[in-house]
Amino acid sequence: MTADSPRRRWLGLVFISVAVALIIVDSTIVNVAIPSIVDDLGISSTEVQWVQETYTLVFASLLLVFGTLADRLGRRLILLVGVAIFAAASVLAALAPTGELLILSRLVQGIGGAMILPASLSIINATFRGRERAIAFAVWGSTIGGMAAVGPLLGGWLTTYFSWRWAFGINVPLGIIILIGVLLFVTESREEHDGRRIDVVGALISVVLFASLVFGLIEGRTFGWWLSDAPPSWWTWDISPIPFSFAIALLALVAFIAWGLHRERRGRSTMLAFGLLRIPSFRNGNIAALIVSLGEFGIILSLPLWLQSVLGYDALQTGFVILALAIGSFVASGAVGGLGSKLSPVLIVRIGIVAEIVGLLLVALGISPDASWWNIVPGLFVYGFGVGMATAQLTSVVLMDVPLDQSGQGSGTQSTSRQIGSALGIAILGTILFTSLGSGLQARLEERSEIPASAVTQIVDAVVDSSGTAIPAIEKQSPDAATDARAAFSDATRYSAFAAAGFLALGFLASLRLHSKRDDDDTAEERAEAVTP
């Protein structure tokens, strides 16, 4: 089998897709395992978000860095190192005795994941051409959409019949398979080295930017959005640390742009290829991708908690319910193949986003304390169908006009847009979920004269801090309080779904700025000139 044979390219794509599946599954598999982790390690609801967000935060912060390094050092090399780091961190997560160490291992996993994703996109962009590239992107995107839901099913099975620790341990054998397959079937590629050094300062500024922004969104409800309601032990001021966190993010954003433009004018390398933003399809596509990602996976955080805490499903049953999303995504991948020759990629993206919005609204309307699985499965199927339609085609649109030698920066930028959107979405929707849960439950309990005022705060804190897993224990002491808790949790989950649909609606509006086809006079030479600083 020659190095450039079609068979070798497609076999390589299989293992690249499995590598992407590894990081996507791991970002969703934990959701189903969270209640078991809470029971085993005794972590709080804020730590629950950090188990999710530490991974996503580091992931988003480093995508630009590793996208650039992949172009310079070798795309296959960065992918292999990322898989190895990810597998090693999974061992640490599986053995973690405390919530703090679990969060630390998730941080290391984020580093590995940030190496895998942009490298995978860059390899596809450099390996495939024309119609083959569109098919490859469709496979890549369908993997993301499908694995986002297969993760909870796999996590449910492992958690129910083995332990939540195997939700991480499963990554080790998968990592070994990926390493062997990539070494055998993926050809190394890199851009021609121009002698310019990597923008280390820009990389550090980008990490500060994303870290401070997501920290503020996650911890705002705990520390207070302006005044310190419950300040951390290291904070002594009356003003909450959250405004300072947002201020740091804003200053870092200004500094990142100013520094990047300064280096670009001097002919030096930059973390973000600002010249690429002059390409309409790239600029507008990234804006749409960020907004869409705000709502795309946020519901996956709240829904498993609601299914288990309110409806009493175990982890495996929860995984089967969410499997409807995966089925919808896989059905969409087949539909996209048939529609690709009839409809433009941008139109397919818009159809997908509309389907996602409709699906989320159906899910929201089906949520209630006495709901059953069949109330939300149709909505999840429609939602998954939309994810499968939109994900791959949006990626193809974003990278359509990016020059090959800048594919790493281009893929890193679009991956960053999506991961920033995902991180912000989970942070915002998680805040909506737990804030509305706390306020709603307190209002319900205060209406019951038989529950003392002193007990109301204790019950609310117990339900919120345990992410709902304390409800069965509360029911033994006060059935009425448990009934109110289930109703409040259902309302909060519904609000979270409506908010996710709202973000997707904004994403649809952003997609209207994407053109269905290139202008006839937009030649390759003109596009190349647009990228030239």
Side-chain angles (χ1 to χ4, degrees):
M1 191 183 304
T2 60
D4 59 347
S5 68
R7 183 182 177 187
R8 192 172 191 270
R9 287 201 303 272
W10 291 110
L11 284 173
L13 177 64
V14 170
F15 289 100
I16 292 171
S17 298
V18 174
V20 173
L22 182 72
I23 58 177
I24 299 301
V25 163
D26 201 80
S27 66
T28 58
I29 197 173
V30 180
N31 290 304
V32 172
I34 280 294
S36 296
I37 295 174
V38 171
D39 290 338
D40 190 14
L41 302 183
I43 62 177
S44 67
S45 63
T46 299
E47 288 177 312
V48 166
Q49 276 188 280
W50 275 113
V51 169
Q52 296 286 1
E53 287 295 340
T54 299
Y55 174 82
T56 307
L57 171 62
V58 175
F59 200 6
S61 300
L62 296 177
L63 281 169
L64 274 178
V65 178
F66 289 124
T68 301
L69 287 176
D71 277 347
R72 294 290 190 88
L73 304 179
R75 292 149 184 151
R76 187 180 74 163
L77 173 63
I78 294 297
L79 179 65
L80 290 170
V81 173
V83 171
I85 291 175
F86 194 92
S90 297
V91 175
L92 296 178
L95 300 176
T98 65
E100 290 81 1
L101 290 177
L102 177 59
I103 292 172
L104 177 62
S105 64
R106 292 286 284 167
L107 184 150
V108 180
Q109 277 189 319
I111 296 174
M115 302 177 79
I116 295 171
L117 194 63
S120 69
L121 271 171
S122 189
I123 290 172
I124 292 173
N125 207 36
T127 303
F128 295 91
R129 296 288 183 275
R131 185 174 180 274
E132 283 191 349
R133 179 183 291 177
I135 296 173
F137 275 134
V139 172
W140 182 90
S142 297
T143 298
I144 289 181
M147 292 303 106
V150 170
L153 178 62
L154 180 60
W157 177 68
L158 292 171
T159 302
T160 300
Y161 291 103
F162 299 95
S163 166
W164 64 265
R165 297 182 184 277
W166 277 105
F168 296 103
I170 192 67
N171 294 329
V172 178
L174 289 176
I176 294 173
I177 293 172
I178 294 167
L179 290 173
I180 295 173
V182 170
L183 283 170
L184 290 176
F185 300 111
V186 176
T187 303
E188 182 62 282
S189 64
R190 61 175 62 86
E191 68 177 23
E192 293 185 9
H193 186 53
D194 58 6
R196 297 186 296 177
R197 295 181 179 178
I198 295 174
D199 181 11
V200 177
V201 174
L204 293 176
I205 295 174
S206 70
V207 172
V208 172
L209 166 61
F210 299 131
S212 57
L213 178 60
V214 177
F215 172 83
L217 289 170
I218 293 176
E219 297 290 0
R221 69 183 180 87
T222 301
F223 298 151
W225 295 104
W226 180 249
L227 297 178
S228 291
D229 298 332
S233 58
W234 45 267
W235 191 260
T236 58
W237 293 359
D238 292 333
I239 298 178
S240 170
I242 301 306
F244 292 92
S245 180
F246 286 139
I248 291 172
L250 180 59
L251 291 174
L253 174 61
V254 174
F256 180 77
I257 295 173
W259 176 256
L261 293 174
H262 168 72
R263 286 183 63 90
E264 187 179 72
R265 285 193 297 268
R266 300 187 66 176
R268 297 179 179 178
S269 63
T270 58
M271 289 309 303
L272 176 63
F274 290 93
L276 291 178
L277 296 178
R278 300 186 183 101
I279 302 175
S281 61
F282 185 79
R283 179 181 64 250
N284 297 331
N286 272 290
I287 294 172
L290 188 149
I291 298 174
V292 167
S293 295
L294 281 170
E296 227 171 24
F297 294 110
I299 193 65
I300 301 299
L301 169 67
S302 58
L303 203 58
L305 292 172
W306 173 75
L307 286 168
Q308 295 182 61
S309 299
V310 176
L311 300 191
Y313 288 13
D314 62 28
L316 182 59
Q317 290 172 319
T318 299
F320 273 116
V321 171
I322 300 178
L323 182 62
L325 197 159
I327 296 173
S329 182
F330 285 127
V331 169
S333 65
V336 168
L339 294 173
S341 59
K342 301 176 182 178
L343 302 177
S344 69
V346 173
L347 184 57
I348 293 175
V349 167
R350 291 171 186 160
I351 293 173
I353 295 174
V354 169
E356 290 182 60
I357 294 171
V358 172
L360 281 177
L361 293 177
L362 291 174
V363 169
L365 295 174
I367 292 174
S368 69
D370 55 354
S372 184
W373 62 268
W374 53 266
N375 293 113
I376 62 171
V377 161
L380 284 175
F381 175 85
V382 175
Y383 174 66
F385 184 85
V387 171
M389 290 280 285
T391 300
Q393 296 302 313
L394 187 54
T395 300
S396 178
V397 169
V398 170
L399 298 180
M400 178 172 58
D401 299 325
V402 173
L404 179 59
D405 62 353
Q406 292 182 289
S407 61
Q409 281 188 309
S411 61
T413 301
Q414 82 88 34
S415 297
T416 298
S417 297
R418 301 183 80 125
Q419 291 304 318
I420 291 172
S422 176
L424 296 180
I426 291 174
I428 294 171
L429 294 176
T431 297
I432 291 173
L433 173 69
F434 292 117
T435 300
S436 56
L437 169 60
S439 60
L441 179 55
Q442 181 163 347
R444 289 173 181 271
L445 293 176
E446 288 176 347
E447 294 177 356
R448 293 186 180 274
S449 58
E450 69 273 16
I451 299 179
S454 58
V456 169
T457 301
Q458 294 178 353
I459 294 173
V460 171
D461 289 343
V463 173
V464 173
D465 289 343
S466 69
S467 303
T469 58
I471 294 177
I474 292 174
E475 187 168 26
K476 296 178 182 179
Q477 304 296 326
S478 174
D480 289 339
T483 298
D484 287 341
R486 291 190 176 93
F489 208 125
S490 297
D491 290 342
T493 305
R494 189 182 309 111
Y495 298 151
S496 182
F498 281 136
F503 285 132
L504 287 168
L506 292 176
F508 177 80
L509 294 177
S511 75
L512 297 179
R513 293 185 59 84
L514 296 172
H515 298 293
S516 296
K517 58 183 179 180
R518 307 170 191 173
D519 296 332
D520 292 337
D521 58 347
D522 184 19
T523 63
E525 290 76 14
E526 288 172 328
R527 293 194 300 274
E529 290 175 2
V531 180
T532 304

